[in-house]
Amino acid sequence: MKAAVLTATDTIEISDVERPQPQAGEVLVQVHYTGICGSDVPRVLQGRIHFFPIILGHEFSGTIVEVGEGVDPSYVGRRVSGIPLEPCFDCPDCRAGNYSLCSSYGFVGSRSAGSMAEYVCLPVQNIMFLGDGVSDIEGAFFEPSTVAVHGIELSGFREGGHAIVIGAGTVGILLAQALAGYGAGTVVVANRNAKRLETAAKAGLDCLVEVDGEGWAERAYAANDGKPFDFVFDTAGTPHTILNSFEVAANKASVMFVGTPSADVTFTSAQWEAINRKELTVRGSWMSYSAPWPGIEWTRVNEFFDEGTLQIVPEMIDTVYPLSQTAQAFDRYENGPKVQGKLLIDSLEADED
């Protein structure tokens, strides 16, 4: 089969590799779409990977074409989204249902061969059958969508709650959409980049605030009867958005950090004291799993896409590249043009060259 193989830092080669064979308890998936995750970019461009060579890709959809011993043969032909985490199921965290915190986990696309290939093999418990109303492209967005829903679940969100989502990237938009499925009373999306807010508007979100200096918080409050927010979700993970999250939080608010920071954050004493004075609940969110495996995050996302609560509009997708052009897709992050939305790899699309 053809695969996009990361052979060294910033070196992806389209190679003929042996097609995997499903072992007992496994399925073979013919891959359709794979989304490039932000975590894949430093793996390629900075060599932040466990080993070379490796096939990346963990946000994907496809169709089961073969099953191993012990797997229901009727699964062949069914469309699925891949569940990339492979927890040990035996460590204390796994036994408590905290699979994201497993001490000895595997992960499709970083610790084993991923989906930037024509086929990928994975355990049968690592598939989610797509609902009839869910497209293959939407199936490739399941993993980032579950990251968003995991943050909502951890926040203790209550129906009718008033929320602000800081960051209008893919996860931010999906989180804001999902809040509607949880019965949110108010959902405001704030972002520095006006272009991303335009995308959020196309995705059906209408309470949008540009973070452009003084006064932005008051404009956000205006969409919430002039009040700060009971639930704050930071999906960007930058020093600015982290500090902004504390600023717009109401007394006793839940502040959830979903985005992964890439730079140090410095607090003034007054900013830190506000956490105490407001008696905030501050919590981090990592990955997207809970008990029973793989968790309510995955079943909810499937339901939300099936019913239209979650939707992927064209503006959320920058470009779909054929598998043969995977290297060119990653080159966008170094040499432009600037990526505006998700880049997808299509393993079924024929090479146009």
Side-chain angles (χ1 to χ4, degrees):
M1 71 173 183
K2 296 289 186 183
V5 183
L6 181 65
T7 58
T9 299
D10 208 7
T11 304
I12 293 177
E13 300 176 3
I14 305 302
S15 304
D16 287 308
V17 302
E18 185 176 355
R19 172 173 156 172
Q21 296 297 313
Q23 302 304 303
E26 294 183 339
V27 298
L28 181 68
V29 174
Q30 183 177 25
V31 181
H32 195 173
Y33 294 107
T34 297
I36 294 180
C37 176
S39 65
D40 290 323
V41 178
R43 289 178 178 130
V44 173
L45 302 185
Q46 300 169 26
R48 292 168 60 181
I49 194 70
H50 296 286
F51 54 85
F52 295 106
I54 189 167
I55 302 168
L56 300 178
H58 62 270
E59 304 177 0
F60 65 96
S61 65
T63 302
I64 296 175
V65 293
E66 190 177 343
V67 299
E69 182 183 351
V71 180
D72 188 338
S74 70
Y75 288 0
V76 172
R78 297 193 65 176
R79 297 181 308 118
V80 298
S81 178
I83 300 169
L85 181 68
E86 297 181 272
C88 72
F89 293 108
D90 190 49
C91 69
D93 283 311
C94 281
R95 290 198 297 270
N98 299 319
Y99 305 113
S100 299
L101 307 181
C102 176
S103 59
S104 57
Y105 65 90
F107 201 87
V108 175
S110 71
R111 296 169 185 251
S112 62
S115 60
M116 293 182 188
E118 292 183 296
Y119 298 89
V120 64
C121 207
L122 64 165
V124 67
Q125 66 263 26
N126 284 74
I127 57 170
M128 172 64 64
F129 295 119
L130 300 185
D132 292 341
V134 181
S135 71
D136 284 2
I137 280 186
E138 289 170 336
F141 278 83
F142 268 35
E143 198 274 345
S145 299
T146 61
V147 168
V149 170
H150 188 60
I152 298 173
E153 286 289 323
L154 290 178
S155 74
F157 189 82
R158 302 182 301 274
E159 185 175 358
H162 303 288
I164 184 168
V165 179
I166 301 178
T170 298
V171 172
I173 289 174
L174 292 167
L175 197 154
Q177 289 180 341
L179 282 167
Y182 280 81
T186 304
V187 181
V188 173
V189 178
N191 201 89
R192 285 176 175 266
N193 186 321
K195 178 69 174 176
R196 289 193 172 183
L197 290 177
E198 291 174 10
T199 299
K202 295 288 187 179
L205 304 169
D206 53 11
C207 292
L208 309 173
V209 175
E210 187 173 354
V211 181
D212 55 359
E214 296 294 329
W216 80 271
E218 286 69 26
R219 294 198 305 278
Y221 299 157
N224 190 36
D225 295 327
K227 301 174 184 178
F229 297 88
D230 301 321
F231 296 90
V232 182
F233 299 90
D234 171 35
T235 64
T238 71
H240 289 296
T241 59
I242 289 169
L243 296 177
N244 289 342
S245 297
F246 295 124
E247 179 183 355
V248 296
N251 293 341
K252 298 284 189 177
S254 172
V255 181
M256 285 296 312
F257 290 107
V258 180
T260 302
S262 58
D264 293 340
V265 184
T266 302
F267 291 84
T268 65
S269 58
Q271 288 168 329
W272 190 262
E273 185 181 5
I275 300 173
N276 299 88
R277 284 184 174 272
K278 292 183 179 182
E279 296 190 344
L280 302 178
T281 298
V282 180
R283 191 166 184 178
S285 178
W286 184 245
M287 291 200 277
S288 57
Y289 305 90
S290 61
W293 172 265
I296 192 174
E297 297 86 348
W298 289 82
T299 55
R300 276 246 162 115
V301 162
N302 206 0
E303 292 166 0
F304 283 169
F305 271 119
D306 206 17
E307 69 192 22
T309 299
L310 288 174
Q311 55 177 316
I312 304 302
V313 296
E315 290 79 6
M316 294 172 67
I317 299 172
D318 181 301
T319 307
V320 180
Y321 289 88
L323 178 65
S324 60
Q325 295 179 18
T326 302
Q328 291 92 317
F330 278 98
D331 186 63
R332 289 278 304 279
Y333 293 97
E334 281 190 302
N335 301 310
K338 183 176 174 63
V339 176
Q340 300 284 354
K342 180 68 76 174
L343 299 184
L344 292 169
I345 306 300
D346 186 347
S347 290
L348 294 184
E349 184 176 336
D351 184 4
E352 297 177 354
D353 294 339

